[in-house]
Amino acid sequence: GAGVSQTPSNKVTEKGKYVELRCDPISGHTALYWYRQSLGQGPEFLIYFQGTGAADDSGLPNDRFFAVRPEGSVSTLKIQRTERGDSAVYLCASSLVGNNEQFFGPGTRLTVL
Amino acid sequence: GEDVEQSLFLSVREGDSSVINCTYTDSSSTYLYWYKQEPGAGLQLLTYIFSNMDMKQDQRLTVLLNKKDKHLSLRIADTQTGDSAIYFCAGADTGRRALTFGSGTRLQVQP
């Protein structure tokens, strides 16, 4: 079956620009997560949605980062006024509500020049 | 919050067993996970262990959990070149679903 998909796979932008990253979770998974992975590090948690609402956004680094999931399926991670330090692979994962087995997408590699 | 640490690198010969170690701080983590990441690919969930278990075996994979020492290990039997990847252990703080990952152990399998 289809796994988690993310688009685009690569995004290059200039410092100060706005970007949107999209995640399509596994069908039927009501929980959705965003993580960020810098080179040589493990993923770091950003935000978790249960349905349409953000149940835990404690990992968002600052108010330039925002995520939505308006219909409880697809989610968009939005980054305003990008900085070079935002360059990383942004990973999305989804799981069933009853457990925490998180299945990850291939990620979006964001490069801020 | 949860803190997870792993050794950075492990090299083994094809056919040998590999043991990847992990230590964690939150003793109340309900589940502990092992993920595999191949170059340019996403994270693949390999296996997990519930905190009330000491051991879990799944084909070539054996997970051992020592709650007293807060130590988790992943043993891969008959390691193959296709097992070359970065392996991450992960856990979650009590009551939270956010996973905290270690920095990963790069496994290199020599033919």
Side-chain angles (χ1 to χ4, degrees):
Chain A
V4 177
S5 62
Q6 294 186 245
T7 54
S9 55
N10 277 283
K11 176 72 177 177
V12 180
T13 191
E14 293 180 341
K15 181 175 179 294
K17 299 289 189 183
Y18 167 83
V19 296
E20 290 189 352
L21 311 179
R22 176 188 167 108
C23 172
D24 274 274
I26 293 172
S27 178
H29 281 192
T30 57
L32 185 145
Y33 313 78
W34 284 99
Y35 291 81
R36 175 168 73 173
Q37 186 175 21
S38 300
L39 193 63
Q41 301 295 318
E44 293 179 308
F45 170 75
L46 295 176
I47 187 168
Y48 152 57
F49 285 90
Q50 181 53 52
T52 60
D56 183 352
D57 64 359
S58 62
L60 295 177
N62 52 60
D63 61 6
R64 295 188 297 107
F65 288 74
F66 188 71
V68 296
R69 195 185 185 201
E71 297 178 359
S73 178
V74 169
S75 175
T76 304
L77 178 67
K78 309 180 180 197
I79 310 174
Q80 298 177 320
R81 304 183 304 279
T82 51
E83 299 177 357
R84 293 195 180 88
D86 298 335
S87 296
V89 176
Y90 288 80
L91 297 167
C92 177
S94 69
S95 73
L96 292 169
V97 66
N99 66 54
N100 207 16
E101 293 179 52
Q102 297 182 24
F103 295 90
F104 282 78
T108 294
R109 181 175 297 279
L110 175 66
T111 303
V112 182
L113 301 177
Chain B
E2 178 77 277
D3 189 24
V4 180
E5 293 192 1
Q6 301 179 237
S7 52
L8 291 180
F9 185 75
L10 175 66
S11 180
V12 300
R13 291 196 177 277
E14 192 173 16
D16 287 350
S17 292
S18 307
V19 179
I20 301 170
N21 295 301
C22 172
T23 57
Y24 60 96
T25 56
D26 188 346
S27 59
S28 56
S29 291
T30 305
Y31 290 95
L32 293 154
Y33 302 84
W34 283 104
Y35 282 84
K36 176 184 180 182
Q37 187 173 44
E38 294 178 271
L43 288 157
Q44 176 192 354
L45 177 61
L46 287 178
T47 187
Y48 62 90
I49 189 166
F50 189 52
S51 58
N52 69 354
M53 299 168 66
D54 297 323
M55 185 182 83
K56 179 179 179 181
Q57 187 155 3
D58 184 359
Q59 299 182 353
R60 292 191 297 122
L61 304 179
T62 302
V63 179
L64 295 177
L65 175 60
N66 182 329
K67 288 191 71 176
K68 175 175 171 290
D69 294 338
K70 298 180 187 173
H71 182 265
L72 181 73
S73 67
L74 174 69
R75 178 177 180 270
I76 306 172
D78 186 26
T79 313
Q80 303 297 307
T81 54
D83 295 325
S84 292
I86 301 175
Y87 291 79
F88 293 93
C89 63
D93 287 347
T94 308
R96 295 187 69 208
R97 295 176 71 96
L99 293 178
T100 299
F101 287 82
S103 53
T105 299
R106 181 178 296 275
L107 174 64
Q108 181 180 71
V109 183
Q110 315 242 4

